[in-house]
Amino acid sequence: MIDIQLVRDHSDEVIQRLKIRNFDAADIVNKLKEADMLRRQSQKELDDTLAEGNELARKIGELFKSGRGAEAAELKEQSATLKKQAKQLQEQLEVSAQEVDTLITQLPNLPHKSVPAGNSEADNLIVFEEGIVPESDDNALPHWELARKFDLIDFEAGTKITGSGFPVYMGKGARLQRALISFFLDQAVQAGYKEVQPPLLVNEASAYGTGQLPDKDGQMYYVGADKLYLIPTSEVPVTNILRDSILGEDELPVKYTAYSVCFRREAGSYGKDVRGLNRLHQFDKVEIVQVTNPEKSYQALDDMVAHVSGLLQKLELPYRITRLCGGDLGFASALTYDMEVFSAAQKRWLEVSSISNFETFQSQRMKLRYKTSTGKNVFAHTLNGSALALPRIMAALLENNQQPLGVNVPAVLRPYTGFDLIE
RNA sequence: GGAGAGGUGGCCGAGUGGUCGAAGGCGCACGCCUGGAAAGCGUGUAUCCGUCACAAGCGGAUCAAGGGUUCGAAUCCCUUUCUCUCCGCCA
């Protein structure tokens, strides 16, 4: 969530900046200011009443000790009324605090100054493009046909076992998948990220911490019997490792990488965009996460983009980088770069990574702070990015490297796959 | 899933109704001491909210979480949760 102090002091700026997202915050902000004022007023009244009660209790204690029971009894009556008052004020405070909370969690993060205005994907800014985009070849097979031809993925079996969007990787397909995971993890570790293996189910507090709740309830699979959510990305468990903690400044930046399976309900999606591996309910992903000083977070973001660029270069995939426009920006993000690879047969760009700086949006929610050298506790910045999401990388590798005899495996992966050609 | 024990500050650990945010120790920081260090000595060392200048000061809250008893609770009662031990089940 955004800093309440910003709403108090610079509400106009908050409203202005959220316009970049096409988000009209005026109403919420005004209500929020009012609720905040009410909350503070309630707090004050409650504190004063409690202070009075404490004072009274002290007096009664003294009277008891000096054996003046009668006087104490009188004061007890006062205490009873104070207590009733306090209880009322307490309830009032809870209501207004709840109101503040409800309102502030409705506000998305403030976009960074470099975020372009726009409504949709189409308005995203292409900031970089590299690699040779394969020439239009109408004989090129889409990956789902290659997958069938070489027995790499059994979509039908997945549908039978579970439902659509749960493919079964077979043979060299499974091996290629495992190779990619190992390659990505090794690369991340080499770049200084600590490898972690997180739980795949998280509780409500964790889902709230990274911003999936309350915003994206319904996009996650929910295990009602235990009140747990299947993770849509390992960002959730990994970032929450540091929930409710105060780090030393010398511990920053924290850099984690994790491989995990990810689950997304993707309710309502259909059509050719979801063919094959393009959009799944279950998929694999290697994630990188950083927690940094506020001053260093944008440098960290650039480093993460460079890291992912390096992966795509090593895989010899043509890619481009877009800066998301306000309308396409995720709820919690201040600035996001999407990485897209070109798939030769589908002849379109596929998003394979999304790298974001959340500034303090997540850390405010999960109370992730660090102690500055001056001894002050401040919220850290959190960032994360896919490095990388597997299915579309797999799709692009298959489509772009297809030959009459089979599919070539990029050189960097061969030590991991143990084969050069899928035939 | 069943039975029992327990969750106190960065850590260990006292504290069974009264001035306890909490003894003591360790750790850490600073100072003294030293050629330097160790030892020793001294001082300090939680978080959040409100007031206010996001200062000082003052007030409030926090001893797993929530509720209750009481003038007053870390201390008593209830619920939840987590950890440990034993049993059951199981990769």
Side-chain angles (χ1 to χ4, degrees):
Chain A
M1 65 193 175
I2 68 170
D3 191 349
I4 185 79
Q5 200 63 43
L6 268 176
V7 176
R8 285 179 195 154
D9 301 340
H10 307 287
S11 56
D12 289 343
E13 190 195 328
V14 170
I15 293 168
Q16 278 316 115
R17 286 178 66 183
L18 286 179
K19 278 187 182 158
I20 295 285
R21 286 181 175 270
N22 307 317
F23 187 93
D24 184 6
D27 194 40
I28 294 175
V29 165
N30 288 333
K31 280 186 189 156
L32 183 55
K33 280 173 84 169
E34 201 171 315
D36 178 53
M37 219 139 69
L38 204 69
R39 201 220 90 215
R40 287 191 288 169
Q41 196 185 318
S42 304
Q43 180 83 57
K44 178 103 181 79
E45 283 173 34
L46 175 63
D47 286 356
D48 289 348
T49 308
L50 289 175
E52 221 178 304
N54 288 344
E55 181 56 34
L56 208 55
R58 246 188 304 268
K59 272 189 201 154
I60 293 172
E62 278 165 29
L63 289 175
F64 264 124
K65 271 188 187 159
S66 52
R68 290 184 281 173
E71 288 175 57
E74 259 176 62
L75 292 183
K76 274 194 195 179
E77 278 177 41
Q78 270 186 54
S79 177
T81 51
L82 271 180
K83 205 180 166 184
K84 239 179 266 170
Q85 267 179 42
K87 180 142 191 166
Q88 245 177 22
L89 289 168
Q90 174 81 43
E91 277 162 20
Q92 193 181 311
L93 173 65
E94 265 159 34
V95 168
S96 53
Q98 183 59 51
E99 176 75 2
V100 168
D101 196 60
T102 306
L103 287 166
I104 199 162
T105 49
Q106 285 170 30
L107 292 177
N109 202 0
L110 302 183
H112 185 260
K113 287 132 207 107
S114 68
V115 171
N119 298 313
S120 71
E121 217 177 302
D123 300 313
N124 293 343
L125 196 70
I126 297 164
V127 294
F128 185 83
E129 196 168 318
E130 182 174 301
I132 300 144
V133 174
E135 284 189 23
S136 199
D137 176 0
D138 292 337
N139 295 322
L141 295 175
H143 67 270
W144 51 89
E145 283 179 29
L146 292 165
R148 184 196 299 271
K149 183 172 171 189
F150 297 112
D151 189 24
L152 303 176
I153 304 168
D154 191 335
F155 289 100
E156 289 76 19
T159 305
K160 177 173 70 184
I161 301 165
T162 308
S164 72
F166 294 90
V168 180
Y169 297 86
M170 312 277 274
K172 285 186 171 175
R175 184 63 187 257
L176 178 59
Q177 179 100 286
R178 181 153 60 90
L180 282 164
I181 292 164
S182 295
F183 170 66
F184 291 149
L185 279 175
D186 286 351
Q187 291 289 308
V189 167
Q190 238 174 63
Y193 293 87
K194 184 181 199 172
E195 183 173 343
V196 300
Q197 218 176 82
L200 305 183
L201 285 94
V202 295
N203 57 31
E204 197 179 322
S206 294
Y208 175 81
T210 35
Q212 276 69 31
L213 291 178
D215 186 46
K216 291 184 195 157
D217 197 10
Q219 291 187 36
M220 288 183 289
Y221 287 98
Y222 180 59
V223 182
D226 297 289
K227 296 184 180 162
L228 296 173
Y229 295 87
L230 272 76
I231 59 172
T233 158
S234 54
E235 158 200 351
V236 181
V238 171
T239 314
N240 272 285
I241 291 171
L242 297 170
R243 169 152 54 86
D244 287 320
S245 57
I246 302 174
L247 301 167
E249 192 165 14
D250 56 348
E251 293 177 75
L252 301 177
V254 176
K255 297 170 77 176
Y256 289 143
T257 184
Y259 153 70
S260 88
V261 181
C262 304
F263 303 91
R264 297 188 184 177
R265 295 186 64 226
E266 308 282 14
S269 54
Y270 57 90
K272 74 171 186 324
D273 284 359
V274 306
R275 263 305 293 264
L277 296 173
N278 287 342
R279 199 181 207 133
L280 302 170
H281 289 306
Q282 176 183 321
F283 63 98
D284 294 284
K285 182 158 63 66
V286 172
E287 187 82 358
I288 50 178
V289 169
Q290 286 209 40
V291 178
T292 74
N293 295 48
E295 311 85 62
K296 294 178 183 162
S297 68
Y298 281 94
Q299 180 58 53
L301 183 65
D302 289 347
D303 291 348
M304 290 166 81
V305 170
H307 175 74
V308 176
S309 298
L311 297 178
L312 295 172
Q313 284 161 16
K314 284 173 185 155
L315 292 174
E316 302 163 50
L317 290 169
Y319 71 96
R320 68 179 190 184
I321 305 174
T322 65
R323 184 185 296 148
L324 296 197
C325 72
D328 205 23
L329 197 60
F331 190 79
S333 176
L335 178 61
T336 296
Y337 289 105
D338 270 5
M339 314 285 287
E340 302 175 327
V341 298
F342 194 81
S343 86
Q346 300 183 69
K347 295 187 178 57
R348 61 191 187 108
W349 293 94
L350 301 176
E351 181 194 329
V352 292
S353 175
S354 193
I355 307 167
S356 305
N357 187 352
F358 303 96
E359 297 192 357
T360 65
F361 194 86
Q362 293 181 331
S363 62
Q364 293 243 14
R365 286 187 171 211
M366 65 173 84
K367 312 233 182 310
L368 199 186
R369 291 155 294 171
Y370 73 95
K371 198 176 277 294
T372 65
S373 50
T374 56
K376 208 175 161 187
N377 295 329
V378 296
F379 290 105
H381 281 196
T382 63
L383 307 92
N384 68 51
S386 343
L388 282 156
L390 278 280
R392 294 178 191 158
I393 289 290
M394 173 94 83
L397 283 178
L398 295 178
E399 292 182 17
N400 293 13
N401 296 327
Q402 57 185 299
Q403 307 289 331
L405 289 177
V407 178
N408 282 324
V409 174
V412 285
L413 290 181
R414 290 175 192 169
Y416 294 95
T417 55
F419 51 80
D420 301 356
L421 185 72
I422 296 168
E423 54 199 327

